[in-house]
mmCIF file of all heavy atoms in Angstrom:
data_model
loop_
_atom_site.group_PDB
_atom_site.id
_atom_site.type_symbol
_atom_site.label_atom_id
_atom_site.label_comp_id
_atom_site.label_asym_id
_atom_site.label_seq_id
_atom_site.Cartn_x
_atom_site.Cartn_y
_atom_site.Cartn_z
ATOM 1 N N LYS Q 469 157.961 89.222 123.616
ATOM 2 C CA LYS Q 469 156.641 88.596 123.494
ATOM 3 C C LYS Q 469 156.756 87.149 123.032
ATOM 4 O O LYS Q 469 155.988 86.286 123.464
ATOM 5 C CB LYS Q 469 155.776 89.394 122.526
ATOM 6 C CG LYS Q 469 155.391 90.732 123.091
ATOM 7 C CD LYS Q 469 154.571 91.554 122.131
ATOM 8 C CE LYS Q 469 154.044 92.789 122.843
ATOM 9 N NZ LYS Q 469 153.255 93.634 121.957
ATOM 10 N N GLU Q 479 150.042 84.921 125.924
ATOM 11 C CA GLU Q 479 150.260 85.982 124.941
ATOM 12 C C GLU Q 479 150.067 87.329 125.601
ATOM 13 O O GLU Q 479 149.057 87.564 126.271
ATOM 14 C CB GLU Q 479 149.280 85.845 123.762
ATOM 15 C CG GLU Q 479 149.623 84.683 122.853
ATOM 16 C CD GLU Q 479 148.804 84.668 121.570
ATOM 17 O OE1 GLU Q 479 148.049 85.624 121.320
ATOM 18 O OE2 GLU Q 479 148.937 83.695 120.822
ATOM 19 N N SER Q 482 147.520 92.650 122.990
ATOM 20 C CA SER Q 482 147.877 93.685 122.026
ATOM 21 C C SER Q 482 147.829 95.051 122.698
ATOM 22 O O SER Q 482 146.829 95.402 123.313
ATOM 23 C CB SER Q 482 146.884 93.610 120.867
ATOM 24 O OG SER Q 482 147.065 94.694 120.019
ATOM 25 N N ASN Q 540 188.015 103.349 118.180
ATOM 26 C CA ASN Q 540 189.094 102.743 118.950
ATOM 27 C C ASN Q 540 188.970 101.227 118.977
ATOM 28 O O ASN Q 540 189.960 100.504 118.858
ATOM 29 C CB ASN Q 540 189.047 103.233 120.404
ATOM 30 C CG ASN Q 540 189.395 104.696 120.525
ATOM 31 O OD1 ASN Q 540 189.261 105.422 119.554
ATOM 32 N ND2 ASN Q 540 189.825 105.118 121.690
ATOM 33 N N GLN Q 543 189.681 99.535 115.591
ATOM 34 C CA GLN Q 543 191.118 99.482 115.311
ATOM 35 C C GLN Q 543 191.772 98.335 116.073
ATOM 36 O O GLN Q 543 192.612 97.621 115.533
ATOM 37 C CB GLN Q 543 191.775 100.806 115.692
ATOM 38 C CG GLN Q 543 191.529 101.877 114.652
ATOM 39 C CD GLN Q 543 192.061 103.219 115.095
ATOM 40 O OE1 GLN Q 543 192.021 103.556 116.282
ATOM 41 N NE2 GLN Q 543 192.565 103.983 114.157
ATOM 42 N N LYS Q 553 182.119 98.962 104.438
ATOM 43 C CA LYS Q 553 181.005 99.712 103.860
ATOM 44 C C LYS Q 553 179.997 100.102 104.929
ATOM 45 O O LYS Q 553 179.308 101.095 104.806
ATOM 46 C CB LYS Q 553 180.291 98.860 102.800
ATOM 47 C CG LYS Q 553 181.094 98.623 101.546
ATOM 48 C CD LYS Q 553 181.079 99.848 100.658
ATOM 49 C CE LYS Q 553 181.689 99.564 99.310
ATOM 50 N NZ LYS Q 553 183.131 99.290 99.392
ATOM 51 N N LYS Q 554 179.893 99.281 105.968
ATOM 52 C CA LYS Q 554 178.830 99.535 106.930
ATOM 53 C C LYS Q 554 179.234 98.997 108.290
ATOM 54 O O LYS Q 554 179.828 97.915 108.375
ATOM 55 C CB LYS Q 554 177.564 98.800 106.457
ATOM 56 C CG LYS Q 554 176.284 99.341 107.038
ATOM 57 C CD LYS Q 554 175.176 98.356 106.806
ATOM 58 C CE LYS Q 554 174.213 98.793 105.734
ATOM 59 N NZ LYS Q 554 173.120 97.834 105.551
ATOM 60 N N PRO Q 560 172.614 92.015 113.228
ATOM 61 C CA PRO Q 560 172.278 92.381 111.856
ATOM 62 C C PRO Q 560 170.774 92.497 111.598
ATOM 63 O O PRO Q 560 170.378 93.102 110.616
ATOM 64 C CB PRO Q 560 172.866 91.225 111.041
ATOM 65 C CG PRO Q 560 172.910 90.082 111.977
ATOM 66 C CD PRO Q 560 173.154 90.663 113.332
ATOM 67 N N GLY Q 563 169.907 95.816 114.404
ATOM 68 C CA GLY Q 563 170.925 96.798 114.753
ATOM 69 C C GLY Q 563 170.841 98.053 113.895
ATOM 70 O O GLY Q 563 170.152 98.089 112.886
ATOM 71 N N THR Q 568 178.808 107.529 111.707
ATOM 72 C CA THR Q 568 180.172 107.940 112.014
ATOM 73 C C THR Q 568 180.748 107.011 113.062
ATOM 74 O O THR Q 568 180.013 106.482 113.908
ATOM 75 C CB THR Q 568 180.226 109.407 112.513
ATOM 76 O OG1 THR Q 568 181.405 109.565 113.289
ATOM 77 C CG2 THR Q 568 179.035 109.757 113.382
ATOM 78 N N TYR Q 593 161.892 93.571 93.437
ATOM 79 C CA TYR Q 593 160.882 93.076 92.516
ATOM 80 C C TYR Q 593 159.506 93.396 93.086
ATOM 81 O O TYR Q 593 159.381 93.668 94.275
ATOM 82 C CB TYR Q 593 161.028 91.562 92.331
ATOM 83 C CG TYR Q 593 162.315 91.170 91.671
ATOM 84 C CD1 TYR Q 593 163.444 90.881 92.432
ATOM 85 C CD2 TYR Q 593 162.421 91.118 90.294
ATOM 86 C CE1 TYR Q 593 164.646 90.540 91.827
ATOM 87 C CE2 TYR Q 593 163.614 90.769 89.683
ATOM 88 C CZ TYR Q 593 164.718 90.482 90.451
ATOM 89 O OH TYR Q 593 165.893 90.162 89.854
ATOM 90 N N ASN Q 597 153.122 88.092 96.276
ATOM 91 C CA ASN Q 597 152.074 87.494 97.096
ATOM 92 C C ASN Q 597 152.446 86.082 97.564
ATOM 93 O O ASN Q 597 151.581 85.249 97.750
ATOM 94 C CB ASN Q 597 150.779 87.421 96.264
ATOM 95 C CG ASN Q 597 149.559 87.518 97.128
ATOM 96 O OD1 ASN Q 597 149.533 88.315 98.060
ATOM 97 N ND2 ASN Q 597 148.563 86.701 96.854
ATOM 98 N N CYS Q 598 153.749 85.834 97.752
ATOM 99 C CA CYS Q 598 154.159 84.466 98.025
ATOM 100 C C CYS Q 598 153.741 84.029 99.419
ATOM 101 O O CYS Q 598 153.641 82.847 99.702
ATOM 102 C CB CYS Q 598 155.667 84.325 97.878
ATOM 103 S SG CYS Q 598 156.613 85.247 99.103
ATOM 104 N N LYS Q 600 155.380 84.371 102.225
ATOM 105 C CA LYS Q 600 156.440 83.986 103.159
ATOM 106 C C LYS Q 600 156.437 84.895 104.384
ATOM 107 O O LYS Q 600 156.651 84.449 105.511
ATOM 108 C CB LYS Q 600 157.798 84.054 102.450
ATOM 109 C CG LYS Q 600 158.006 82.936 101.450
ATOM 110 C CD LYS Q 600 159.489 82.691 101.217
ATOM 111 C CE LYS Q 600 159.776 81.832 100.014
ATOM 112 N NZ LYS Q 600 159.023 80.609 99.902
ATOM 113 N N MET Q 607 154.346 88.023 114.952
ATOM 114 C CA MET Q 607 153.161 88.654 115.537
ATOM 115 C C MET Q 607 151.900 88.249 114.776
ATOM 116 O O MET Q 607 150.820 88.753 115.046
ATOM 117 C CB MET Q 607 153.304 90.179 115.534
ATOM 118 C CG MET Q 607 154.436 90.712 116.390
ATOM 119 S SD MET Q 607 154.338 90.155 118.092
ATOM 120 C CE MET Q 607 152.959 91.135 118.677
ATOM 121 N N GLU Q 628 144.164 99.520 110.830
ATOM 122 C CA GLU Q 628 143.094 98.526 110.920
ATOM 123 C C GLU Q 628 143.646 97.104 110.751
ATOM 124 O O GLU Q 628 143.155 96.162 111.352
ATOM 125 C CB GLU Q 628 142.038 98.919 109.873
ATOM 126 C CG GLU Q 628 141.186 97.887 109.194
ATOM 127 C CD GLU Q 628 140.306 97.090 110.120
ATOM 128 O OE1 GLU Q 628 140.085 97.555 111.236
ATOM 129 O OE2 GLU Q 628 139.873 95.992 109.718
ATOM 130 N N ASN Q 630 146.431 96.189 111.959
ATOM 131 C CA ASN Q 630 147.330 95.993 113.100
ATOM 132 C C ASN Q 630 148.775 96.400 112.854
ATOM 133 O O ASN Q 630 149.697 95.751 113.348
ATOM 134 C CB ASN Q 630 147.301 94.544 113.581
ATOM 135 C CG ASN Q 630 145.902 94.100 113.919
ATOM 136 O OD1 ASN Q 630 145.248 93.431 113.138
ATOM 137 N ND2 ASN Q 630 145.421 94.528 115.056
ATOM 138 N N TYR Q 642 163.785 90.110 105.829
ATOM 139 C CA TYR Q 642 164.816 89.095 105.629
ATOM 140 C C TYR Q 642 164.354 88.039 104.645
ATOM 141 O O TYR Q 642 165.069 87.613 103.764
ATOM 142 C CB TYR Q 642 165.164 88.440 106.973
ATOM 143 C CG TYR Q 642 166.112 87.271 106.830
ATOM 144 C CD1 TYR Q 642 167.482 87.483 106.739
ATOM 145 C CD2 TYR Q 642 165.649 85.969 106.760
ATOM 146 C CE1 TYR Q 642 168.363 86.433 106.586
ATOM 147 C CE2 TYR Q 642 166.517 84.905 106.606
ATOM 148 C CZ TYR Q 642 167.870 85.145 106.523
ATOM 149 O OH TYR Q 642 168.735 84.096 106.363
ATOM 150 N N THR Q 643 163.112 87.630 104.785
ATOM 151 C CA THR Q 643 162.644 86.470 104.040
ATOM 152 C C THR Q 643 162.081 86.830 102.663
ATOM 153 O O THR Q 643 161.957 85.962 101.808
ATOM 154 C CB THR Q 643 161.585 85.734 104.886
ATOM 155 O OG1 THR Q 643 161.478 84.404 104.410
ATOM 156 C CG2 THR Q 643 160.234 86.387 104.812
ATOM 157 N N PRO Q 645 161.360 87.315 99.039
ATOM 158 C CA PRO Q 645 162.103 87.020 97.811
ATOM 159 C C PRO Q 645 162.090 88.184 96.825
ATOM 160 O O PRO Q 645 162.903 88.238 95.922
ATOM 161 C CB PRO Q 645 161.376 85.803 97.230
ATOM 162 C CG PRO Q 645 160.003 85.885 97.773
ATOM 163 C CD PRO Q 645 160.109 86.557 99.114
ATOM 164 N N LYS Q 647 162.687 91.103 97.791
ATOM 165 C CA LYS Q 647 163.666 92.022 98.404
ATOM 166 C C LYS Q 647 163.042 93.370 98.755
ATOM 167 O O LYS Q 647 163.673 94.416 98.653
ATOM 168 C CB LYS Q 647 164.880 92.240 97.491
ATOM 169 C CG LYS Q 647 165.513 90.961 97.011
ATOM 170 C CD LYS Q 647 166.157 90.202 98.140
ATOM 171 C CE LYS Q 647 166.482 88.785 97.751
ATOM 172 N NZ LYS Q 647 166.681 87.906 98.891
ATOM 173 N N HIS Q 652 160.733 98.505 106.825
ATOM 174 C CA HIS Q 652 161.043 99.925 106.690
ATOM 175 C C HIS Q 652 159.765 100.735 106.455
ATOM 176 O O HIS Q 652 159.532 101.755 107.099
ATOM 177 C CB HIS Q 652 162.022 100.120 105.537
ATOM 178 C CG HIS Q 652 162.400 101.543 105.290
ATOM 179 N ND1 HIS Q 652 163.275 102.202 106.103
ATOM 180 C CD2 HIS Q 652 162.000 102.411 104.354
ATOM 181 C CE1 HIS Q 652 163.405 103.438 105.664
ATOM 182 N NE2 HIS Q 652 162.643 103.597 104.599
ATOM 183 N N ARG Q 655 157.722 100.732 109.618
ATOM 184 C CA ARG Q 655 158.235 101.726 110.575
ATOM 185 C C ARG Q 655 157.768 103.122 110.193
ATOM 186 O O ARG Q 655 157.333 103.905 111.034
ATOM 187 C CB ARG Q 655 159.769 101.717 110.570
ATOM 188 C CG ARG Q 655 160.358 100.680 111.445
ATOM 189 C CD ARG Q 655 161.847 100.976 111.643
ATOM 190 N NE ARG Q 655 162.514 99.754 112.022
ATOM 191 C CZ ARG Q 655 163.380 99.103 111.262
ATOM 192 N NH1 ARG Q 655 163.717 99.570 110.079
ATOM 193 N NH2 ARG Q 655 163.918 97.984 111.664
ATOM 194 N N VAL N 80 183.292 109.935 107.317
ATOM 195 C CA VAL N 80 184.058 109.680 108.532
ATOM 196 C C VAL N 80 185.511 109.579 108.137
ATOM 197 O O VAL N 80 185.825 109.196 107.018
ATOM 198 C CB VAL N 80 183.630 108.380 109.240
ATOM 199 C CG1 VAL N 80 182.232 108.487 109.738
ATOM 200 C CG2 VAL N 80 183.808 107.200 108.349
ATOM 201 N N THR N 83 191.196 105.791 108.792
ATOM 202 C CA THR N 83 192.483 105.686 109.466
ATOM 203 C C THR N 83 193.509 105.142 108.515
ATOM 204 O O THR N 83 193.231 104.282 107.691
ATOM 205 C CB THR N 83 192.411 104.730 110.654
ATOM 206 O OG1 THR N 83 191.606 103.647 110.266
ATOM 207 C CG2 THR N 83 191.888 105.389 111.863
ATOM 208 N N GLN N 90 195.678 103.517 119.360
ATOM 209 C CA GLN N 90 194.293 103.211 119.679
ATOM 210 C C GLN N 90 193.662 104.254 120.589
ATOM 211 O O GLN N 90 192.460 104.277 120.752
ATOM 212 C CB GLN N 90 194.217 101.866 120.401
ATOM 213 C CG GLN N 90 194.571 100.729 119.497
ATOM 214 C CD GLN N 90 194.721 99.458 120.283
ATOM 215 O OE1 GLN N 90 194.418 99.427 121.451
ATOM 216 N NE2 GLN N 90 195.182 98.430 119.621
ATOM 217 N N GLN N 91 194.457 105.051 121.173
ATOM 218 C CA GLN N 91 193.932 105.937 122.189
ATOM 219 C C GLN N 91 193.361 107.227 121.612
ATOM 220 O O GLN N 91 192.794 108.019 122.329
ATOM 221 C CB GLN N 91 195.020 106.272 123.216
ATOM 222 C CG GLN N 91 195.615 105.035 123.896
ATOM 223 C CD GLN N 91 194.579 104.259 124.671
ATOM 224 O OE1 GLN N 91 193.835 104.836 125.438
ATOM 225 N NE2 GLN N 91 194.515 102.951 124.478
ATOM 226 N N SER N 92 193.530 107.452 120.330
ATOM 227 C CA SER N 92 193.033 108.727 119.812
ATOM 228 C C SER N 92 191.641 108.561 119.235
ATOM 229 O O SER N 92 191.314 107.542 118.630
ATOM 230 C CB SER N 92 193.983 109.244 118.735
ATOM 231 O OG SER N 92 193.612 108.714 117.503
ATOM 232 N N HIS N 104 177.833 103.420 104.665
ATOM 233 C CA HIS N 104 176.481 103.313 104.125
ATOM 234 C C HIS N 104 175.479 103.182 105.248
ATOM 235 O O HIS N 104 175.705 102.453 106.206
ATOM 236 C CB HIS N 104 176.383 102.117 103.186
ATOM 237 C CG HIS N 104 177.178 102.322 101.954
ATOM 238 N ND1 HIS N 104 176.626 102.810 100.806
ATOM 239 C CD2 HIS N 104 178.481 102.154 101.711
ATOM 240 C CE1 HIS N 104 177.572 102.915 99.890
ATOM 241 N NE2 HIS N 104 178.704 102.520 100.425
ATOM 242 N N LEU N 105 174.390 103.893 105.087
ATOM 243 C CA LEU N 105 173.333 103.829 106.087
ATOM 244 C C LEU N 105 172.136 103.126 105.470
ATOM 245 O O LEU N 105 171.786 103.354 104.330
ATOM 246 C CB LEU N 105 172.909 105.234 106.515
ATOM 247 C CG LEU N 105 173.908 105.989 107.355
ATOM 248 C CD1 LEU N 105 173.326 107.329 107.758
ATOM 249 C CD2 LEU N 105 174.269 105.200 108.591
ATOM 250 N N SER N 106 171.515 102.261 106.236
ATOM 251 C CA SER N 106 170.242 101.702 105.811
ATOM 252 C C SER N 106 169.564 101.207 107.067
ATOM 253 O O SER N 106 170.209 101.004 108.085
ATOM 254 C CB SER N 106 170.442 100.558 104.818
ATOM 255 O OG SER N 106 171.005 99.450 105.470
ATOM 256 N N THR N 107 168.262 101.036 106.982
ATOM 257 C CA THR N 107 167.580 100.543 108.159
ATOM 258 C C THR N 107 167.764 99.025 108.238
ATOM 259 O O THR N 107 168.053 98.372 107.247
ATOM 260 C CB THR N 107 166.074 100.871 108.099
ATOM 261 O OG1 THR N 107 165.566 100.409 106.855
ATOM 262 C CG2 THR N 107 165.848 102.361 108.211
ATOM 263 N N SER N 108 167.563 98.497 109.425
ATOM 264 C CA SER N 108 167.700 97.062 109.617
ATOM 265 C C SER N 108 166.539 96.351 108.921
ATOM 266 O O SER N 108 165.509 96.976 108.678
ATOM 267 C CB SER N 108 167.714 96.747 111.102
ATOM 268 O OG SER N 108 166.487 97.144 111.688
ATOM 269 N N HIS N 110 170.034 94.022 108.195
ATOM 270 C CA HIS N 110 171.183 94.219 107.320
ATOM 271 C C HIS N 110 171.578 92.941 106.593
ATOM 272 O O HIS N 110 172.589 92.919 105.886
ATOM 273 C CB HIS N 110 172.350 94.756 108.140
ATOM 274 C CG HIS N 110 171.995 96.023 108.879
ATOM 275 N ND1 HIS N 110 171.902 97.234 108.256
ATOM 276 C CD2 HIS N 110 171.650 96.236 110.162
ATOM 277 C CE1 HIS N 110 171.529 98.158 109.143
ATOM 278 N NE2 HIS N 110 171.366 97.567 110.304
ATOM 279 N N GLN N 113 167.890 86.737 103.158
ATOM 280 C CA GLN N 113 168.066 85.376 102.658
ATOM 281 C C GLN N 113 168.300 85.453 101.152
ATOM 282 O O GLN N 113 167.848 86.394 100.494
ATOM 283 C CB GLN N 113 166.865 84.497 103.025
ATOM 284 C CG GLN N 113 165.515 84.988 102.538
ATOM 285 C CD GLN N 113 165.176 84.499 101.169
ATOM 286 O OE1 GLN N 113 165.748 83.536 100.710
ATOM 287 N NE2 GLN N 113 164.264 85.176 100.503
ATOM 288 N N ALA N 116 165.710 84.892 95.568
ATOM 289 C CA ALA N 116 165.001 86.046 95.016
ATOM 290 C C ALA N 116 163.996 85.572 93.969
ATOM 291 O O ALA N 116 163.983 84.405 93.599
ATOM 292 C CB ALA N 116 165.993 87.032 94.399
ATOM 293 N N VAL N 117 163.164 86.497 93.504
ATOM 294 C CA VAL N 117 162.089 86.139 92.572
ATOM 295 C C VAL N 117 162.597 85.328 91.360
ATOM 296 O O VAL N 117 162.022 84.289 91.039
ATOM 297 C CB VAL N 117 161.325 87.396 92.129
ATOM 298 C CG1 VAL N 117 160.394 87.084 90.973
ATOM 299 C CG2 VAL N 117 160.538 87.949 93.298
ATOM 300 N N PRO N 118 163.679 85.766 90.671
ATOM 301 C CA PRO N 118 164.104 84.968 89.506
ATOM 302 C C PRO N 118 164.465 83.534 89.882
ATOM 303 O O PRO N 118 164.179 82.611 89.120
ATOM 304 C CB PRO N 118 165.340 85.723 89.001
ATOM 305 C CG PRO N 118 165.207 87.085 89.550
ATOM 306 C CD PRO N 118 164.497 86.960 90.849
ATOM 307 N N ARG N 312 160.345 74.667 99.288
ATOM 308 C CA ARG N 312 159.366 75.521 99.976
ATOM 309 C C ARG N 312 158.851 76.641 99.076
ATOM 310 O O ARG N 312 158.633 77.774 99.512
ATOM 311 C CB ARG N 312 159.964 76.140 101.242
ATOM 312 C CG ARG N 312 160.310 75.086 102.233
ATOM 313 C CD ARG N 312 160.829 75.703 103.481
ATOM 314 N NE ARG N 312 161.297 74.622 104.355
ATOM 315 C CZ ARG N 312 161.431 74.737 105.648
ATOM 316 N NH1 ARG N 312 161.142 75.865 106.241
ATOM 317 N NH2 ARG N 312 161.860 73.737 106.372
ATOM 318 N N MET N 368 151.717 81.948 93.058
ATOM 319 C CA MET N 368 151.677 82.789 94.251
ATOM 320 C C MET N 368 150.820 84.026 94.072
ATOM 321 O O MET N 368 150.072 84.419 94.952
ATOM 322 C CB MET N 368 153.093 83.220 94.610
ATOM 323 C CG MET N 368 153.975 82.080 95.001
ATOM 324 S SD MET N 368 155.677 82.612 94.935
ATOM 325 C CE MET N 368 156.460 81.194 95.664
ATOM 326 N N SER N 371 146.955 83.255 94.208
ATOM 327 C CA SER N 371 146.372 82.399 95.242
ATOM 328 C C SER N 371 146.395 83.159 96.562
ATOM 329 O O SER N 371 147.167 84.106 96.718
ATOM 330 C CB SER N 371 147.134 81.079 95.334
ATOM 331 O OG SER N 371 148.464 81.315 95.697
ATOM 332 N N ILE N 373 146.981 84.515 100.391
ATOM 333 C CA ILE N 373 148.251 84.679 101.105
ATOM 334 C C ILE N 373 148.191 84.027 102.476
ATOM 335 O O ILE N 373 149.208 83.698 103.057
ATOM 336 C CB ILE N 373 148.599 86.188 101.207
ATOM 337 C CG1 ILE N 373 150.090 86.382 101.431
ATOM 338 C CG2 ILE N 373 147.787 86.875 102.285
ATOM 339 C CD1 ILE N 373 150.556 87.790 101.199
ATOM 340 N N ARG N 378 144.354 79.431 101.787
ATOM 341 C CA ARG N 378 144.850 78.518 100.764
ATOM 342 C C ARG N 378 144.077 77.209 100.786
ATOM 343 O O ARG N 378 143.829 76.613 99.737
ATOM 344 C CB ARG N 378 146.343 78.266 100.992
ATOM 345 C CG ARG N 378 147.132 79.502 100.623
ATOM 346 C CD ARG N 378 148.583 79.395 100.927
ATOM 347 N NE ARG N 378 149.266 80.538 100.325
ATOM 348 C CZ ARG N 378 150.541 80.813 100.489
ATOM 349 N NH1 ARG N 378 151.292 80.036 101.232
ATOM 350 N NH2 ARG N 378 151.075 81.859 99.912
ATOM 351 N N ARG N 421 141.702 86.461 107.576
ATOM 352 C CA ARG N 421 142.745 87.204 108.259
ATOM 353 C C ARG N 421 143.122 86.481 109.553
ATOM 354 O O ARG N 421 142.254 86.162 110.361
ATOM 355 C CB ARG N 421 142.156 88.566 108.571
ATOM 356 C CG ARG N 421 143.078 89.523 109.192
ATOM 357 C CD ARG N 421 142.361 90.848 109.216
ATOM 358 N NE ARG N 421 142.978 91.736 110.167
ATOM 359 C CZ ARG N 421 142.525 92.939 110.431
ATOM 360 N NH1 ARG N 421 141.429 93.374 109.828
ATOM 361 N NH2 ARG N 421 143.138 93.705 111.279
ATOM 362 N N TYR N 425 148.952 87.915 117.245
ATOM 363 C CA TYR N 425 149.480 87.627 118.579
ATOM 364 C C TYR N 425 148.883 88.629 119.560
ATOM 365 O O TYR N 425 148.936 89.844 119.330
ATOM 366 C CB TYR N 425 151.002 87.770 118.543
ATOM 367 C CG TYR N 425 151.687 87.596 119.875
ATOM 368 C CD1 TYR N 425 152.395 86.437 120.153
ATOM 369 C CD2 TYR N 425 151.663 88.594 120.849
ATOM 370 C CE1 TYR N 425 153.035 86.270 121.359
ATOM 371 C CE2 TYR N 425 152.296 88.434 122.062
ATOM 372 C CZ TYR N 425 152.977 87.271 122.310
ATOM 373 O OH TYR N 425 153.616 87.112 123.506
ATOM 374 N N GLY N 426 148.313 88.123 120.637
ATOM 375 C CA GLY N 426 147.801 89.011 121.684
ATOM 376 C C GLY N 426 146.395 89.501 121.446
ATOM 377 O O GLY N 426 145.857 90.247 122.254
ATOM 378 N N ARG N 431 142.383 94.405 124.895
ATOM 379 C CA ARG N 431 141.570 95.207 125.810
ATOM 380 C C ARG N 431 140.945 96.359 125.045
ATOM 381 O O ARG N 431 141.508 96.848 124.073
ATOM 382 C CB ARG N 431 142.452 95.759 126.934
ATOM 383 C CG ARG N 431 143.130 94.667 127.712
ATOM 384 C CD ARG N 431 144.207 95.242 128.580
ATOM 385 N NE ARG N 431 145.143 96.061 127.790
ATOM 386 C CZ ARG N 431 146.095 96.774 128.333
ATOM 387 N NH1 ARG N 431 146.220 96.831 129.617
ATOM 388 N NH2 ARG N 431 146.927 97.461 127.571
#
Side-chain angles (χ1 to χ4, degrees):
Chain Q
K469 291 178 171 179
E479 287 189 6
S482 172
N540 292 23
Q543 282 174 325
K553 290 283 189 293
K554 201 195 254 182
T568 156
Y593 295 91
N597 210 41
C598 66
K600 287 204 194 311
M607 296 305 287
E628 150 61 19
N630 304 100
Y642 174 83
T643 200
K647 308 293 166 199
H652 179 76
R655 276 194 202 111
Chain N
V80 295
T83 40
Q90 292 170 8
Q91 302 298 311
S92 88
H104 292 265
L105 289 183
S106 69
T107 52
S108 62
H110 304 284
Q113 57 88 19
V117 169
R312 296 183 186 202
M368 295 164 172
S371 62
I373 202 165
R378 288 175 170 174
R421 184 171 162 183
Y425 176 106
R431 301 167 306 173

